[in-house]
Amino acid sequence: MEKRSIKKDIAIIGISCKFAQSNSPKAFWENLKSGADISQFYTDEELEALGTPKTFIENPNYIRLKSFVEGSDSFDYPFFGYTKDEADLMDPQIRVLHEQVWLAMEDAGYNVHAIKEKVGLYLAASDNLNWMAHGMLTQNENVDMFFQSHIINKNYVSTLISYNLNLKGPSYVIDTACSSSLTTVHLACRGLLMRECSVAMAGGACLNTEGNSSYLFEEGMIGSKDGKCKAFDSDSTGTIPGEGSGVIVLKRLEDALRDKDPIYAVIRASATNNDGKRKVGYTAPSVAGQYDCIKQAQRFANIDPNDITYVEAHGTGTKLGDPIEVEALNKAFNYNTNHKCAVGSVKTNIGHLDYAAGIAGIIKTALALEQKAIPPSLHYTSPNPEINFEDGPFYVNSALTEWKRKDAKPLLAAINSLGIGGTNVHVILEEATSTNKTTPSRPYQLLTYSARSEKSLTNYQHQLGTYLETTANDFNDIAYTLNVGRKGHTVRDYIVAQNGAAAVDILKKKTANNLKTSTREQYRSIVFMFAGQGTQYFKMAFDLYKEESTFKEIIDEGLKILQEETGEDFKQILGYHIDAHEDQEKINQTYYTQPLLFLIEYALASLLIKWGIQPKYMIGHSLGEYTAACIAEVFSLKDGLRLLVKRGSLMNTLEKGSMLGLNISAKDIEAILPKDISIATINTKESCVISGNDASINDFAEVLTEKEIAFTKLKTSHAFHSAMMDPILEEFKNELKEITLSAPKLSYISNLTGKVAKFG
């Protein structure tokens, strides 16, 4: 098969949604595949409590529909920087879209405050004249009147969120009536293809602020007679109102693959048009208009309609709308009766979401493609006789069905959305076949999480545990996303675990024992401290070498340099060869110790810097100062190893010696210190290190014992930092002259002056 270009393809990399009884994409999918009908009905008592007139309650045509999103009246206003007074006045649809935009970006694995690319925002929200009237009649001296006029008006939803989250791409509010939120997807795709932004978010919201979703059934209107949306069914009488919101995150497919983003599905094409006057009236749908829109999308995608095996229809269940929509689809699919294509409507589950209807349809279809299953379209028993199912490929999918590929081709689906006034939108989706595979990772994972309060952190901790118990996602990927794809808030915590089950157990224990979290007041400076000789050991950092590819690459490069410089296999001396029988004490010989310890320190510091742990200062003891200088790019790794080999080689020619660490000040020890013993280092005001030949050090150790001065003998082969080093100074100085030195790019403290090292 000829490989096609993906230049026009758009990846769906993040999803968030909040529908009735579905507060997340996972919950939404569970309801879809189980065929859940969220329609509920008020009792007489509930209607009376709402203040419903008795004449309505007793009217058989009064449909007592109870359809609402749980918690739609709550809003974490401090999280987004609003005051309570501002939040109280803000259109609930604007509130919920703040949250959905944030959650969608988190689902995509991005910290919205850290993303550097331009992010476009394309949103829609239902008309809310009731709330605007409330806002205009409400006076609050704590809210600026001009600002109040914006937060009560859904037309400012995108720019309010773009300002709040510092999104610098296009920021549009779309109004094409019922097709608005699918139009946002179309325009977001165009913004990406025109490179007006690198990431785009599209979505919509519909919330009823009148407190009651019941309605009076009227023959010929769009409201259903029985409070059920029975799309395509012979018993259909219309649709039902619903509530909800959803946002998807989009990216050019080639960029998503490059950045290893999660991909739910791929948008192959989208198209939009208007019916014009090709219909019986302004509010009526049009076969010709819909057909043109569908064909335009198919041509843009360069696909054969026979490869599409599912269509998420607008599917309102109205006597006029469903037959016209299916007829337009039949025509666009060439009236091919040899092909079979399922059709369904999410409105049978959650009702008609008005301006958010299209986003609900595309989220449903993307999840279905990801799960390779077509959920049932509800309340279908027999076809509406006005629908021409006989002359086309379509059938209503009324049961959960495994979605199988046709001729080994990727699964293709389409979403149709129609707006009163004639704006049609058609989107073609393809399953994500080029998925990013998880690369091998370390055996233990660090999971970090944070919030703005202890209570919020506890809630998040519980949610994280629940998610880890139920998700099939890779544990390593989850840890990575938590660490780099989340904003770090003031109150934070972490766990270290080997797998999801272990993480859940730790999180439960934290919650049960009410373990304390840490609060970050401000960022603290980080200092890298590099040890000197005496900290080495056989097979040091071997686990890091096995598990961290960056660390291994640097060590291997250094060992290769040492092999070229000396002709010896330092890997064997380090103990990194499998089944090595090397003398484990050889690493303590200064000739080997110095270059190997320098290399380990350099590789570890480089790994930490790659992880984003950047030091403000560095300091190193003895050979550790060479590591600090090399990390600061004063000289190259190759030159650093060359220097340490020479340094160790020269020192190895000297008489053996010993060093003692003392718990006493240098000033106090000077009075009793023999002339042939030197003060090697002053560690603190109350501790120092002395250095000298073996005999003198051993004799002085007895003196220290008598005077009850605590000391520790260091693991060294020579009397470093003493007069015993003087014979090699000139030769080492000549070696140093051969090295090219540069100004430090990072600050480190000089052992000689105790101040930041300067160049020149």
Side-chain angles (χ1 to χ4, degrees):
M1 184 184 296
E2 184 179 348
K3 189 175 181 180
R4 68 175 185 83
S5 171
I6 63 170
K7 292 287 184 183
K8 297 185 296 183
D9 293 357
I10 304 296
I12 300 175
I13 65 169
I15 294 176
S16 69
C17 61
K18 194 170 187 177
F19 303 122
Q21 301 176 32
S22 305
N23 283 329
S24 67
K26 181 178 176 60
F28 184 44
W29 175 251
E30 290 299 318
N31 282 332
L32 287 172
K33 74 174 186 179
S34 66
D37 178 3
I38 57 83
S39 300
Q40 298 181 54
F41 298 92
Y42 288 112
T43 64
D44 288 357
E45 292 74 21
E46 287 174 325
L47 288 172
E48 287 172 3
L50 289 170
T52 309
K54 191 172 183 181
T55 53
F56 277 37
I57 297 174
E58 294 174 350
N59 190 333
N61 286 331
Y62 186 65
I63 312 304
R64 308 167 172 218
L65 187 69
K66 181 166 63 174
S67 176
F68 59 88
V69 172
E70 298 86 346
S72 62
D73 57 343
S74 64
F75 179 51
D76 192 357
Y77 61 87
F79 185 89
F80 293 100
Y82 295 105
T83 67
K84 186 178 188 306
D85 292 309
E86 290 168 343
D88 287 342
L89 286 165
M90 185 179 288
D91 184 333
Q93 296 175 131
I94 299 178
R95 293 184 212 149
V96 76
L97 283 171
H98 272 78
E99 296 174 343
Q100 292 304 305
V101 165
W102 180 278
L103 292 171
M105 284 296 278
E106 283 203 335
D107 187 64
Y110 285 96
N111 172 359
V112 71
H113 289 295
I115 191 167
K116 296 178 181 178
E117 296 92 343
K118 282 188 176 181
V119 179
L121 191 59
Y122 304 79
L123 297 175
S126 294
D127 290 328
N128 204 353
L129 299 178
N130 174 64
W131 192 268
M132 285 193 68
H134 158 74
M136 288 187 288
L137 293 172
T138 301
Q139 290 186 342
N140 189 319
E141 61 182 12
N142 296 322
V143 181
D144 176 78
M145 285 293 292
F146 184 68
F147 186 58
Q148 180 174 328
S149 70
H150 287 69
I151 61 178
I152 66 172
N153 188 339
K154 61 105 174 184
N155 290 328
Y156 294 100
V157 59
S158 288
T159 51
L160 282 167
I161 296 173
S162 291
Y163 172 75
N164 190 276
L165 300 181
N166 195 28
L167 309 180
K168 305 179 191 70
S171 189
Y172 294 145
V173 172
I174 312 302
D175 190 340
T176 60
C178 308
S179 59
S180 294
S181 58
L182 204 61
T183 305
T184 69
V185 176
H186 170 74
L187 293 177
C189 291
R190 289 297 181 268
L192 288 167
L193 294 176
M194 295 298 292
R195 298 192 176 268
E196 295 174 335
C197 53
S198 297
V199 178
M201 285 183 281
C206 172
L207 293 177
N208 176 11
T209 58
E210 295 179 3
N212 189 344
S213 53
S214 303
Y215 59 93
L216 277 170
F217 169 73
E218 295 181 63
E219 195 70 48
M221 301 302 286
I222 67 168
S224 164
K225 186 176 183 178
D226 55 4
K228 302 288 184 183
C229 178
K230 302 177 179 179
F232 316 113
D233 191 74
S234 58
D235 194 34
S236 63
T237 55
T239 192
I240 58 172
E243 280 195 343
S245 59
V247 172
I248 60 175
V249 183
L250 305 173
K251 206 169 180 181
R252 290 180 290 270
L253 178 60
E254 56 186 346
D255 294 347
L257 292 172
R258 176 200 65 204
D259 297 338
K260 301 185 185 302
D261 294 316
I263 301 174
Y264 285 94
V266 175
I267 298 175
R268 288 287 304 274
S270 64
T272 184
N273 73 348
N274 193 271
D275 295 332
K277 293 192 73 173
R278 297 174 291 180
K279 52 188 179 181
V280 297
Y282 173 75
T283 61
S286 163
V287 171
Q290 291 181 43
Y291 163 77
D292 285 348
C293 184
I294 297 166
K295 290 306 290 185
Q296 185 181 355
Q298 291 175 354
R299 284 192 295 269
F300 190 81
N302 192 27
I303 59 156
D304 182 342
N306 292 334
D307 291 332
I308 296 174
T309 49
Y310 177 70
V311 172
E312 173 64 24
H314 191 64
T316 57
T318 58
K319 292 295 185 183
L320 180 64
D322 286 359
I324 287 178
E325 183 175 13
V326 173
E327 189 61 28
L329 286 166
N330 279 337
K331 187 176 180 182
F333 279 66
N334 305 314
Y335 293 101
N336 186 355
T337 56
N338 294 320
H339 173 51
K340 294 299 177 187
C341 181
V343 67
S345 173
V346 73
K347 294 176 181 65
T348 63
N349 301 91
I350 60 175
H352 193 335
L353 268 54
D354 196 38
Y355 283 44
I359 202 68
I362 198 169
I363 289 174
K364 169 190 172 181
T365 309
L367 294 175
L369 282 167
E370 183 194 35
Q371 298 295 327
K372 308 292 187 294
I374 303 175
S377 192
L378 306 185
H379 313 305
Y380 179 82
T381 54
S382 60
N384 180 344
E386 300 299 318
I387 299 177
N388 183 16
F389 281 126
E390 293 81 9
D391 296 326
F394 299 101
Y395 66 94
V396 178
N397 186 75
S398 57
L400 180 66
T401 307
E402 181 184 357
W403 201 347
K404 297 180 180 179
R405 286 185 174 188
K406 181 181 177 182
D407 300 326
K409 295 178 181 179
L411 297 173
L412 282 173
I415 302 96
N416 214 34
S417 191
L418 320 171
I420 286 180
T423 297
N424 309 301
V425 188
H426 195 76
V427 176
I428 295 174
L429 289 188
E430 182 179 273
E431 68 169 311
T433 54
S434 302
T435 54
N436 293 305
K437 294 182 179 179
T438 299
T439 55
S441 186
R442 54 192 65 84
Y444 284 86
Q445 295 294 339
L446 171 70
L447 279 71
T448 60
Y449 51 97
S450 65
R452 293 195 175 186
S453 69
E454 294 240 0
K455 182 180 179 182
S456 294
L457 190 76
T458 300
N459 291 338
Y460 188 88
Q461 193 169 266
H462 176 72
Q463 292 171 11
L464 179 59
T466 302
Y467 174 78
L468 289 170
E469 277 186 310
T470 57
T471 185
N473 289 332
D474 185 83
F475 181 66
N476 299 332
D477 288 346
I478 294 168
Y480 176 84
T481 300
L482 285 173
N483 292 335
V484 305
R486 296 290 183 268
K487 178 177 172 58
H489 299 295
T490 310
V491 186
R492 49 183 59 190
D493 206 344
Y494 73 94
I495 63 170
V496 176
Q498 197 166 9
N499 51 49
V504 170
D505 187 54
I506 295 169
L507 288 168
K508 285 181 178 178
K509 287 178 180 176
K510 272 182 173 285
T511 303
N513 298 325
N514 194 26
L515 297 184
K516 289 290 182 182
T517 57
S518 62
T519 301
R520 174 180 61 79
E521 299 295 339
Q522 60 184 8
Y523 285 108
R524 296 176 180 175
S525 299
I526 294 172
V527 177
F528 281 2
M529 303 178 71
F530 301 103
Q533 190 167 331
T535 56
Q536 74 282 351
Y537 57 92
F538 191 67
K539 281 195 173 183
M540 57 180 169
F542 187 48
D543 286 342
L544 271 179
Y545 181 79
K546 291 188 297 181
E547 295 160 9
E548 297 294 339
S549 59
T550 299
F551 186 84
K552 183 179 186 301
E553 288 168 9
I554 296 170
I555 294 293
D556 287 344
E557 179 189 359
L559 292 173
K560 183 181 179 183
I561 293 169
L562 289 173
Q563 178 90 36
E564 293 169 352
E565 286 286 328
T566 67
E568 290 194 63
D569 185 2
F570 274 68
K571 189 172 185 178
Q572 185 83 12
I573 295 156
L574 188 55
Y576 280 14
H577 279 309
I578 299 172
D579 299 325
H581 298 293
E582 183 71 26
D583 179 4
Q584 295 189 18
E585 293 301 317
K586 206 170 183 179
I587 195 172
N588 295 320
Q589 297 177 23
T590 192
Y591 174 71
Y592 300 113
T593 302
Q594 294 196 31
L596 285 174
L597 192 55
F598 165 84
L599 178 57
I600 292 290
E601 291 178 346
Y602 176 85
L604 180 56
S606 299
L607 179 64
L608 292 174
I609 289 171
K610 183 180 179 182
W611 286 347
I613 304 172
Q614 191 78 11
K616 185 174 183 180
Y617 295 104
M618 296 182 290
I619 188 170
H621 168 64
S622 188
L623 74 86
E625 188 172 7
Y626 288 81
T627 312
C630 193
I631 290 293
E633 299 184 41
V634 172
F635 46 77
S636 67
L637 174 62
K638 184 173 183 179
D639 285 342
L641 287 167
R642 177 182 162 191
L643 280 175
L644 269 299
V645 166
K646 187 67 175 180
R647 187 174 186 261
S649 177
L650 291 172
M651 288 180 174
N652 213 37
T653 65
L654 298 173
E655 179 188 348
K656 303 291 184 183
S658 301
M659 302 178 75
L660 299 179
L662 310 181
N663 289 339
I664 188 173
S665 69
K667 182 179 179 181
D668 290 340
I669 202 66
E670 268 186 313
I672 61 171
L673 196 66
K675 292 182 179 180
D676 58 350
I677 295 179
S678 304
I679 294 177
T681 60
I682 301 172
N683 291 336
T684 70
K685 290 181 179 180
E686 300 299 329
S687 66
C688 62
V689 176
I690 59 173
S691 184
N693 65 65
D694 290 338
S696 296
I697 289 291
N698 289 336
D699 289 344
F700 192 60
E702 294 179 8
V703 175
L704 293 171
T705 301
E706 290 173 7
K707 293 182 176 295
E708 297 184 348
I709 297 172
F711 66 88
T712 303
K713 188 169 184 179
L714 304 185
K715 190 168 59 174
T716 60
S717 57
H718 292 76
F720 303 121
H721 308 290
S722 73
M724 293 182 72
M725 298 289 109
D726 291 351
I728 66 171
L729 294 181
E730 193 62 32
E731 189 173 351
F732 186 68
K733 184 177 180 181
N734 292 332
E735 182 72 20
L736 195 59
K737 289 178 180 178
E738 300 296 319
I739 301 297
T740 301
L741 303 178
S742 304
K745 293 185 178 179
L746 294 173
S747 297
Y748 69 96
I749 307 302
S750 166
N751 280 190
L752 185 62
T753 66
K755 299 179 180 178
V756 175
K758 302 292 184 182
F759 182 71

